[in-house]
Amino acid sequence: MLHEAASGRIRINTMMSEKDRPNAYVATGDVAAEPRAESASRLVVYPIGPYEVVLEFTNAGEFQGVVEVRVNADFRSLRQKIESTRYHDVDEFYK
Amino acid sequence: MFYSEKNDKMLRFGDVVRGFACGKLLIEQPFVDGLPSVYRVEVCHRLAIVLSPCCAIRDGYLQLAPLQQVEPNWYLNSSWINDLTVINKPMEAREAVPPYKWDNMDPTERTRRVAMGKQYTLADYFVYAPNSLLGDYEISCQRTTHVQGHYAVDFRAIVCVKCPLVIKPEKFPIETKLLQLSKETRASLRDKLSYYYGKTPEEDAL
């Protein structure tokens, strides 16, 4: 399952192999859940309604605890969101 | 879930409605010399999409766009065939281009496109998922006929309709409302329409 949290924040692939898990984090500037590549544990984000619960597991899959509960929201302004968006110009391919 | 399981008793942004004719005014040339030019009004009675923000539905004014069949050439992209609603959200460059065009693209151009990451494509359009209330139709692309249930709304075709019975979102002819988008789909429509109107041309970027 590929879960994408609030736009522009963090993406975690929970189905990656054990070997690859430390690289499963794509840092996007979110300081709340930084990659912990050297750690023997991993963080998994579960969206629950308007919230996200960050859980910590060992690499063996043992539950360690709740690390954080946060609001699942994109705090960028509408202007920031629009300005960070462009579009793929593909009209020529569909004529 | 594309549509809401149950319709609210109020008119909402993104609703599929019937009974409101969408008119399009065609002129041969602008009336700059003060003389009336030749013009034509085309009226379509198809289903339409409400594109007024909910809070702007009042005093009889509604912004609508007709629900239209999808463009046959979208079938050139085999990755879109099963679910055309993918164009409602940002996608990778590779998904936005028909596979055979992508494979033959100049490597430099391909790299430039990949570097853009996930972005909108076909920025003028938003696709509505199939529903039994909308019906299916046949569409032909490259001598192959497909049965299609997706419909599209073209933001360039937005028109204003004035109907005195549309007083506010909670007070309108309820029998006109056919389908309501789910909260998530409505957010996608709002995002794409905001992008359509809000994008800054390069020459205006500060």
Side-chain angles (χ1 to χ4, degrees), chain B residues 50-68:
Chain B
V50 175
L51 290 176
S52 304
C54 299
C55 55
I57 299 173
R58 62 180 190 276
D59 303 330
Y61 286 103
L62 265 186
Q63 266 85 48
L64 300 174
L67 202 56
Q68 61 189 46

Side-chain angles (χ1 to χ4, degrees), chain B:
Chain B
M1 188 173 58
F2 193 89
Y3 297 102
S4 174
E5 286 180 355
K6 196 177 169 192
N7 286 350
D8 294 338
K9 290 182 179 173
M10 60 186 290
L11 204 53
R12 287 186 178 279
F13 176 71
D15 283 355
V16 180
V17 292
R18 60 179 176 174
F20 296 102
C22 292
K24 183 164 60 178
L25 178 65
L26 299 104
I27 57 171
E28 288 189 354
Q29 59 183 48
F31 299 2
V32 286
D33 56 4
L35 298 171
S37 174
V38 176
Y39 61 88
R40 206 166 72 237
V41 178
E42 286 183 359
V43 177
C44 74
H45 300 276
R46 292 196 301 259
L47 301 178
I49 302 302
V50 175
L51 290 176
S52 304
C54 299
C55 55
I57 299 173
R58 62 180 190 276
D59 303 330
Y61 286 103
L62 265 186
Q63 266 85 48
L64 300 174
L67 202 56
Q68 61 189 46
Q69 296 184 359
V70 300
E71 295 293 326
N73 283 349
W74 293 353
Y75 270 96
L76 297 174
N77 191 331
S78 52
S79 64
W80 292 359
I81 289 177
N82 292 333
D83 182 11
L84 284 171
T85 64
V86 292
I87 75 156
N88 297 342
K89 290 185 174 178
M91 64 175 75
E92 300 288 352
R94 190 190 188 95
E95 302 163 45
V97 177
Y100 70 98
K101 297 271 188 186
W102 181 259
D103 293 340
N104 294 321
M105 192 180 283
D106 172 63
T108 311
E109 174 62 9
R110 203 157 51 197
T111 306
R112 185 189 71 80
R113 287 177 178 267
V114 169
M116 289 174 69
K118 276 190 168 183
Q119 302 293 349
Y120 282 123
T121 188
L122 301 178
D124 304 328
Y125 292 96
F126 191 87
V127 170
Y128 273 65
N131 185 282
S132 57
L133 292 176
L134 305 181
D136 293 339
Y137 56 95
E138 288 190 347
I139 197 166
S140 293
C141 178
Q142 293 187 326
R143 293 182 216 155
T144 306
T145 302
H146 306 266
V147 175
Q148 181 55 266
H150 290 88
Y151 286 81
V153 54
D154 183 345
F155 298 146
R156 297 169 300 176
I158 297 173
V159 296
C160 175
V161 172
K162 186 152 192 195
C163 172
L165 296 180
V166 179
I167 296 161
K168 55 184 182 177
E170 305 82 11
K171 206 167 178 186
F172 74 104
I174 187 93
E175 65 278 10
T176 59
K177 176 162 172 159
L178 282 187
L179 290 167
Q180 177 176 309
L181 298 181
S182 68
K183 215 170 171 179
E184 295 76 21
T185 313
R186 196 158 51 242
S188 296
L189 174 60
R190 191 178 299 115
D191 285 348
K192 196 163 187 184
L193 190 61
S194 300
Y195 172 72
Y196 175 78
Y197 280 115
K199 61 189 173 201
T200 307
E202 278 179 26
E203 63 272 22
D204 288 358
L206 298 174

Side-chain angles (χ1 to χ4, degrees), chain A residues 5-29:
Chain A
S7 172
R9 296 179 66 194
I10 186 171
R11 183 192 296 178
I12 297 174
N13 186 339
T14 58
M15 292 300 283
M16 293 183 79
S17 68
E18 295 288 335
K19 176 170 69 71
D20 294 333
R21 276 201 176 116
N23 298 322
Y25 297 87
V26 178
T28 57

Side-chain angles (χ1 to χ4, degrees), chain A residues 70-85:
Chain A
R70 64 192 184 198
V71 177
N72 180 8
D74 186 341
F75 292 101
R76 292 177 299 169
S77 69
L78 179 61
R79 188 179 178 89
Q80 287 171 319
K81 276 196 271 189
I82 291 171
E83 286 183 351
S84 65
T85 307

